[in-house]
Amino acid sequence: MLIRPATRDDAAAIWSIIGPTIRAGETYTLDRDLSEGDALAYWFSADKEVFVAADVDGVVLGTYYLRANQAGRGAHVCNAGYMTGAAAMGRGVARAMGLHSVDHAKARGFRAMQFNFVVSTNERAVALWQSLGFDIVGCLPGAFDHPAEGFVDALVMYRAL
Amino acid sequence: MLIRPATRDDAAAIWSIIGPTIRAGETYTLDRDLSEGDALAYWFSADKEVFVAADVDGVVLGTYYLRANQAGRGAHVCNAGYMTGAAAMGRGVARAMGLHSVDHAKARGFRAMQFNFVVSTNERAVALWQSLGFDIVGCLPGAFDHPAEGFVDALVMYRAL
């Protein structure tokens, strides 16, 4: 697996990954009906660095972005969002992107990384981030309206770099 | 004191309040050098409803905004930001705006209100929000680089509506 900066040429591959995740609406607080153009504009917004994870044949398996979580005197803490294609689940893509993002964030000089909104029912993600050294530092009661489970908690997770 | 929706005619009065707070850089993670135009564009961004608190003579004493804190299936939780003019400190302006925002958010159908980043050294604000029913639901270690005190914690505060 190779993790490299994304280019605009990756847009279609990235949409094939983030589109189904957005439509499912179970893990991100994005409008489920977001158009391809608006979704890609969000993913590639000017404040973000975007990466893709590709297999040996160049097939994109996952994508993540990294950005400062706040401006001004909070800009030493970064934030990231990750999505893995359904076909690539269980192959360690998210873990590899997580490790890559931590290394890249350190190289960029960030002092910590924060996830603002990890849906508590996304147990695979919570466990993955904990295994990468993130602590649950906050719990937002009922902050996510899960399509199947109704109002569930969202977690704030954080680690020093 | 009257709390009413802000108009573009309030821009100069609002800048006279938010400008010094932004320049001080002790409570918000905004770029301290933000221009008047950029600061007002931030305060009046399309996702926000903006209010002002004015005295009986119409002098603007404080301002706040209300918005959804997340999109999609997190849009039932709102967020707000409040600033009081230095000359009006200690007159209950922030408390009045806080109460107004809670009532207005309920009327808008929001189910909860979340403050994402209350600087822990801003003890007056923390105590005020607690007195209005907000709980500290998260602590972001060292997430704010205070101009005088260095890296201090930021708090996540939350209340159901």
Side-chain angles (χ1 to χ4, degrees):
Chain A
M1 196 182 318
L2 171 73
I3 298 178
R4 60 166 174 79
T7 73
R8 280 291 176 178
D9 291 340
D10 296 310
I14 288 173
W15 171 246
S16 76
I17 290 167
I18 69 176
T21 304
I22 292 169
R23 294 284 179 266
E26 295 182 342
T27 50
Y28 276 75
T29 57
L30 293 166
D31 180 350
R32 292 173 77 178
D33 299 323
L34 213 56
S35 70
E36 176 175 348
D38 286 347
L40 288 169
Y42 168 80
W43 205 254
F44 279 100
S45 67
D47 60 332
K48 298 189 179 96
E49 276 190 278
V50 182
F51 294 86
V52 290
D55 68 12
V56 289
D57 298 318
V59 176
V60 173
L61 307 175
T63 179
Y64 84 86
Y65 67 74
L66 187 80
R67 63 173 171 182
N69 197 43
Q70 301 283 347
R73 302 192 77 92
H76 58 286
V77 180
C78 65
N79 166 249
Y82 312 78
M83 293 193 193
T84 302
M89 292 284 185
R91 290 168 56 183
V93 177
R95 174 175 294 273
M97 291 194 296
L99 289 167
H100 186 276
S101 66
V102 165
D103 287 345
H104 187 72
K106 284 181 188 172
R108 277 273 181 265
F110 287 110
R111 296 175 58 98
M113 188 179 294
Q114 179 177 336
F115 302 144
N116 300 309
F117 204 97
V118 182
V119 177
S120 58
T121 51
N122 191 0
E123 293 172 9
R124 181 199 290 245
V126 175
L128 172 60
W129 303 136
Q130 286 180 313
S131 79
L132 295 185
F134 287 82
D135 294 320
I136 296 170
V137 298
C139 179
L140 312 171
F144 188 70
D145 183 10
H146 191 285
E149 304 192 40
F151 293 106
V152 300
D153 298 345
L155 306 176
V156 183
M157 301 188 73
Y158 197 93
R159 70 157 277 182
L161 296 176
Chain B
M1 197 183 317
L2 171 73
I3 299 179
R4 59 165 175 80
T7 73
R8 279 290 176 179
D9 291 341
D10 296 310
I14 289 173
W15 171 245
S16 76
I17 289 167
I18 70 175
T21 304
I22 292 169
R23 295 284 179 268
E26 295 182 342
T27 50
Y28 277 74
T29 56
L30 293 167
D31 180 349
R32 291 173 77 179
D33 299 322
L34 214 56
S35 70
E36 176 175 350
D38 287 347
L40 288 169
Y42 168 80
W43 204 254
F44 279 99
S45 67
D47 59 332
K48 299 189 179 95
E49 278 190 277
V50 182
F51 294 85
V52 290
D55 68 13
V56 289
D57 298 319
V59 175
V60 173
L61 307 174
T63 179
Y64 83 88
Y65 66 75
L66 187 80
R67 61 173 171 182
N69 197 43
Q70 301 284 346
R73 301 191 78 92
H76 58 288
V77 180
C78 65
N79 167 249
Y82 311 79
M83 292 192 193
T84 302
M89 292 284 186
R91 290 167 57 182
V93 177
R95 173 175 294 273
M97 292 195 295
L99 289 167
H100 186 275
S101 65
V102 165
D103 287 345
H104 186 73
K106 284 181 187 171
R108 277 273 179 265
F110 287 111
R111 295 175 57 98
M113 187 180 293
Q114 179 177 334
F115 302 144
N116 300 308
F117 204 98
V118 182
V119 177
S120 59
T121 51
N122 191 359
E123 293 173 8
R124 182 197 292 244
V126 175
L128 172 60
W129 303 136
Q130 286 180 314
S131 78
L132 295 184
F134 287 81
D135 293 320
I136 296 170
V137 298
C139 179
L140 312 171
F144 188 70
D145 182 11
H146 191 286
E149 304 192 39
F151 293 106
V152 299
D153 299 345
L155 307 176
V156 183
M157 302 187 73
Y158 198 93
R159 71 157 274 182
L161 296 177

